[in-house]
Amino acid sequence: MNRAFFPVVKAFFIAVVALSTAAHAADEAKAAPAKADPAKGEALYTNGDPARNITACISCHGAAGASTISANPKLGGQHEAYIHKQLTNFQGADRNNPIMSPLAKLLTDDEMKNIAAYLNAQPAKPGAAKDKDTLALGKKIYRGGIAEKSVPACAGCHSPNGAGIPAQFPRIGGQHQDYTVTELTNFRSGARKNGPMMTTIAKRMSDDEIKAVADYIAGLK
């Protein structure tokens, strides 16, 4: 066999390996999700996008997610994965809301991730319990559940101080009483469908129990 043939073969195989490596790297780059950009999230949260009719989140949820409107949740310090999931759910039928659903449908997935990353990095705004007459009941439910109704302790998933568990259960400590009451009631009625576990639990709770635990939660730090 002509010796001149071997360098040609060697060069051919080197070229094939190089092309294969480049193609593999390109595939990995396509598969890797884009990293969330908190700076872009802050810009969209603070300013919105008037050209696309996207209202600034700050107008309802306050600077850095520190909402002062009791019907609108505090979002500062909320887990990134949870915020992204909720915005995604607002785009479908699982969490239909006349204000949030139209806005969420205007956002791209990257924009939702950016907003979530920004809010995750903000400090959680503390709240306070207001009704001393229901504090004991709220504390009992949150820490120990309601055994006779098979209602588990809220602390089991949301942690003793309401900080939640990242990527699994949301931060609820310090949340507005009115908002928590509304969401538990929505879970109970089926108006909110994106938490089967919460639906089961809320259906076993009375109005008074929901209000008591919501007030206790507001004071958690």
Side-chain angles (χ1 to χ4, degrees), residues 20-46:
S20 177
T21 301
H24 181 67
D27 287 341
E28 283 191 337
K30 289 180 182 178
K35 187 176 181 180
D37 188 333
K40 288 183 179 179
E42 179 180 13
L44 191 54
Y45 180 91
T46 305

Side-chain angles (χ1 to χ4, degrees), residues 50-177:
R52 294 160 58 201
N53 293 318
I54 297 176
T55 305
C57 314
I58 194 173
S59 61
C60 291
H61 295 286
S67 165
T68 58
I69 303 170
S70 65
N72 299 333
K74 300 174 185 179
L75 300 175
Q78 186 57 271
H79 306 308
E80 191 171 341
Y82 180 77
I83 293 176
H84 178 257
K85 178 182 184 297
Q86 298 311 305
L87 287 172
T88 302
N89 289 164
F90 276 127
Q91 292 182 330
D94 286 343
R95 194 173 181 189
N96 189 32
N97 179 280
I99 296 173
M100 285 303 306
S101 293
L103 288 172
K105 288 174 182 177
L106 297 173
L107 298 171
T108 66
D109 192 59
D110 283 346
E111 287 171 334
M112 290 190 289
K113 288 177 179 177
N114 292 342
I115 291 171
Y118 164 67
L119 289 169
N120 178 78
Q122 304 313 301
K125 182 181 179 182
K130 298 176 181 178
D131 192 344
K132 63 179 181 180
D133 294 331
T134 66
L135 192 59
L137 175 59
K139 181 178 180 179
K140 176 180 177 294
I141 295 171
Y142 189 86
R143 293 189 176 185
I146 310 172
E148 62 273 22
K149 291 185 174 183
S150 297
V151 171
C154 312
C157 293
H158 296 286
S159 79
N161 66 349
I165 301 174
Q168 296 184 55
F169 302 104
R171 174 187 294 278
I172 58 175
Q175 190 57 266
H176 294 305
Q177 288 94 330

